[in-house]
């Protein structure tokens, strides 16, 4: 597949991934009552797959833009600066606001907690990963992939993409060693390495790599059926994860089978869907390319950072408790979207443009 400057449908896809994570954290139905509600609750509680969708999309986009670039010297610095400029400013602002409004500065180890968070080391440390902006653990994993990507692309050009399998296995082995020796826990077996497999780049590199591999597939493959097959694959895998949850009585990624499906099978299907959205003219591509999805997709990063934390807690305190639960749920969602749009247009977009204008561009796409 030849690189393209911009694929609108992939921006719209980000909105779906962000909404999925929101539904995971705040399922609109409870598990009690009828079997239908139990199944619906299980489906919503598998909304964590939105993180996997983000990871696979990141691998797909980074490979499309940079896999054929020689990222060394000034080009490498430009690449790293642009990745930093894309993620860090809004993250820093929301993290700092969280420390203020959630009064985390009153903690005994507030300075250490703040430094671990703003340096994006938290996602590697079990005791800190879910502190402050809890969901921002994924940014550590994202940044780790950004750092690894130039070397992986070099390996793919010099040897072959199939060597990425070896890279993923090497990362997993390193993860087992690091978290088995440096961060030992009282648990044994799967529980001992659950954090490594679900949170860190050592366990989740496959999602980025499978997305990157699909980005390098030749256009026209599967005879214009990639979008349909990919969408069906994602839906089937999502249903399978919900079935795993119902069988074991816990969210799928808290089980070995669920982790395997989430980290290996889901990104394979997601990558196929992304490939289809980037190469085929379909109804789904048209819907995700509409203005509404474009706006929501651009603000999806802000939504992801804001949807759980001090803003959500404030809205629950501020809105009248006597209103119907469905109305309160809808208002919280809409107000979170509104705050995300404001944060994007007033902060993320202008700051990002300003930072890029201050940098010295090199011949590398951003």
């Amino acid at each position: 597949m030849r690189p393209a400057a911009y694929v609108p449908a992939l921006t719209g896809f980000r909105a779906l991934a962000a909404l999925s994570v929101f539904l995971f954290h705040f399922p609109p139905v409870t598990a009690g009552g009828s079997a239908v509600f139990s199944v619906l609750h299980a489906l919503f509680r598998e909304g964590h797959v939105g993180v996997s969708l983000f990871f696979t999309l990141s691998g797909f986009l980074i490979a499309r833009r940079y896999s054929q670039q020689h990222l060394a010297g000034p080009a490498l610095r430009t690449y790293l600066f642009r990745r930093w400029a894309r993620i860090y400013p809004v993250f820093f602002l929301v993290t700092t606001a969280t420390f203020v409004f959630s009064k985390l500065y009153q903690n005994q180890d507030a300075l250490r907690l703040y430094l671990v968070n703003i340096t994006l080391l938290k996602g590697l440390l079990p005791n800190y990963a879910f502190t402050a902006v809890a969901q921002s653990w994924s940014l550590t994993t994202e940044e780790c992939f950004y750092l690894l990507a130039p070397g992986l692309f070099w390996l793919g050009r010099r040897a072959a993409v199939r060597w990425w399998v070896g890279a993923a296995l090497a990362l997993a082995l390193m993860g087992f060693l690091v978290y088995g020796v440096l961060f030992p826990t009282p648990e044994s077996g799967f529980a001992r390495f659950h954090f490594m497999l679900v949170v860190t780049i050592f366990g989740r590199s496959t999602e980025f790599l499978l997305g990157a591999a699909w980005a390098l597939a030749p256009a026209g493959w599967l005879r214009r059926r990639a979008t349909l097959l990919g969408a069906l694959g994602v839906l089937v895998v999502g249903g399978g994860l919900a079935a795993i949850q119902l069988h074991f009585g816990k969210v799928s990624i808290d089980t070995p089978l669920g982790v395997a499906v989430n980290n290996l099978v889901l990104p394979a299907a997601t990558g196929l869907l992304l490939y289809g959205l980037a190469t085929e003219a379909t109804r789904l591509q048209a819907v995700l390319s509409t203005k509404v999805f474009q706006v929501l997709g651009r603000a999806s990063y802000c939504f992801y950072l804001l949807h759980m934390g001090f803003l959500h807690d404030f809205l629950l305190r501020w809105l009248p408790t006597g209103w119907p639960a469905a109305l309160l749920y809808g208002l919280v969602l809409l107000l979170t979207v509104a705050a995300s749009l404001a944060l994007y247009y007033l902060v993320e977009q202008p700051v990002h443009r300003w930072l890029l204008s201050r940098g010295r561009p090199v011949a590398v796409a951003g």
Side-chain angles (χ1 to χ4, degrees):
M1 182 191 304
R2 292 183 178 180
Y6 181 66
V7 180
L10 298 184
T11 297
F13 183 82
R14 292 172 56 190
L16 295 181
L19 177 61
S20 178
V21 177
F22 180 89
L23 295 175
F24 164 62
H25 287 132
F26 309 108
V29 299
T30 61
S34 67
V36 173
F37 278 92
S38 295
V39 171
L40 287 175
H41 181 266
L43 288 170
F44 288 128
R45 285 293 288 161
E46 292 304 319
H48 61 80
V49 300
V51 174
S52 180
L53 301 183
F54 275 125
F55 286 167
T56 307
L57 177 60
S58 291
F60 187 88
L61 291 175
I62 293 298
R64 277 172 59 87
R65 295 173 182 175
Y66 298 110
S67 62
Q68 300 306 312
Q69 297 285 345
H70 180 63
L71 296 176
L76 178 60
R77 290 192 293 272
T78 297
Y79 161 80
L80 293 175
F81 174 76
R82 292 192 175 196
R83 295 309 99 209
W84 173 86
R86 174 65 65 184
I87 282 182
Y88 194 77
V90 173
F91 161 75
F92 178 82
L93 176 62
V94 174
T95 299
T96 302
T98 299
F99 269 79
V100 174
F101 293 116
S102 298
K103 298 184 178 180
L104 294 178
Y105 59 84
Q106 296 179 351
N107 287 15
Q108 187 174 4
D109 64 339
L111 179 59
R112 180 190 301 175
L113 182 64
Y114 184 65
L115 291 175
V116 168
N117 272 271
I118 63 170
T119 55
L120 281 173
L121 293 174
K122 58 176 284 183
L124 297 172
L125 306 172
N127 293 334
Y128 290 94
F130 307 111
T131 59
V133 184
Q135 61 272 28
S136 66
W137 64 264
S138 64
L139 302 186
T140 301
T141 308
E142 189 96 15
E143 290 290 348
C144 286
F145 171 71
Y146 291 159
L147 293 174
L148 290 171
L152 293 171
F153 296 152
W154 178 88
L155 181 63
R157 292 193 303 270
R158 291 298 181 93
V161 172
R162 65 175 178 270
W163 286 100
W164 290 357
V165 177
L169 291 174
L171 284 169
L173 178 59
M174 187 183 303
F176 281 112
L177 292 174
V178 168
Y179 288 89
V181 176
L182 297 183
F183 302 108
T185 62
E187 295 88 355
S188 61
F190 170 73
R192 184 173 187 176
F193 298 103
H194 178 256
F195 176 84
M196 182 273 290
L197 292 169
V198 172
V199 174
T200 73
I201 189 65
F202 302 107
R204 306 204 66 157
S205 66
T206 50
E207 291 157 295
F208 296 99
L209 293 175
L210 284 167
W214 275 112
L216 301 180
W221 197 58
L222 290 178
R223 299 179 181 179
R224 317 299 292 178
R225 292 192 296 249
T227 304
L228 175 61
L229 293 175
L232 288 175
V234 170
L235 292 175
V236 169
V237 173
L241 290 173
I244 293 172
Q245 178 186 157
L246 291 170
H247 177 74
F248 289 101
K250 59 179 73 174
V251 175
S252 64
I253 53 172
D254 289 335
T255 69
L257 178 60
V259 170
V261 173
N262 184 84
N263 292 14
L264 297 173
V265 183
L266 177 61
T270 303
L272 176 58
L273 173 58
L274 297 174
Y275 169 85
L277 291 174
T279 60
E280 300 173 354
T282 61
R283 290 184 180 179
L284 180 59
Q285 184 197 59
V287 170
L288 293 178
S289 299
T290 58
K291 186 174 182 179
V292 171
F293 273 97
Q294 292 304 288
V295 171
L296 294 176
R298 293 189 186 103
S300 61
Y301 176 50
C302 293
F303 179 84
Y304 179 73
L305 290 177
L306 289 178
H307 83 276
M308 183 175 67
F310 72 89
L311 175 64
H312 185 266
D313 295 340
F314 168 77
L315 291 175
L316 291 182
R317 291 193 303 267
W318 177 68
L319 291 170
T321 56
W323 288 4
L327 177 59
L328 286 173
Y329 187 95
L331 284 174
V332 169
L333 176 57
L334 289 175
L335 291 172
T336 304
V337 170
S340 304
L341 292 171
L343 183 61
Y344 172 75
Y345 284 108
L346 297 178
V347 179
E348 180 186 354
Q349 185 183 67
V351 169
H352 182 252
R353 288 177 174 174
W354 180 81
L355 286 172
L356 293 188
S357 69
R358 300 288 293 179
R360 294 181 179 180
V362 178
V364 57

